[in-house]
């Protein structure tokens, strides 16, 4: 999986993402759903469990930077 394939995918936060925290998101990819370690794209945003996010950066093999979508 390359950067361009992951960037723009939607996911859901399963472990709070925020400053000083390593969060977790689940993203539908490769015909299934996979968990990734997650950090806030802004570095200061706190994103609560259940929030829909978009992947803005992917660091192989299991880390993503995300941002909340839908004005969450």
């Amino acid at each position: 999986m390359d950067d361009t394939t992951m960037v723009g995918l939607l996911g859901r936060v399963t472990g709070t993402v925020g400053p000083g925290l390593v969060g977790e998101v689940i993203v539908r990819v490769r015909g299934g759903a996979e968990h990734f370690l997650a950090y806030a794209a802004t570095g200061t945003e706190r994103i609560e469990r259940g929030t829909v996010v978009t992947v803005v950066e992917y660091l192989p093999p299991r880390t993503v930077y995300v941002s909340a979508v839908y004005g969450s």
Side-chain angles (χ1 to χ4, degrees):
M1 173 128 314
D2 62 24
D3 294 355
T4 57
T5 306
M6 286 291 296
V7 172
L9 292 180
L10 295 180
R12 185 169 303 274
V13 175
T14 56
T16 302
V17 175
L21 301 173
V22 178
E24 183 182 62
V25 297
I26 190 167
V27 179
R28 290 192 173 274
V29 63
R30 294 186 276 262
E34 297 182 20
H35 289 267
F36 293 85
L37 298 177
Y39 295 93
T42 64
T44 58
E45 183 179 16
R46 183 176 176 94
I47 308 171
E48 298 295 333
R49 187 171 183 243
T51 303
V52 176
V53 294
T54 187
V55 175
V56 297
E57 187 175 350
Y58 171 59
L59 301 175
R62 309 293 308 164
T63 303
V64 292
Y65 283 80
V66 297
S67 183
V69 297
Y70 306 130
S72 301

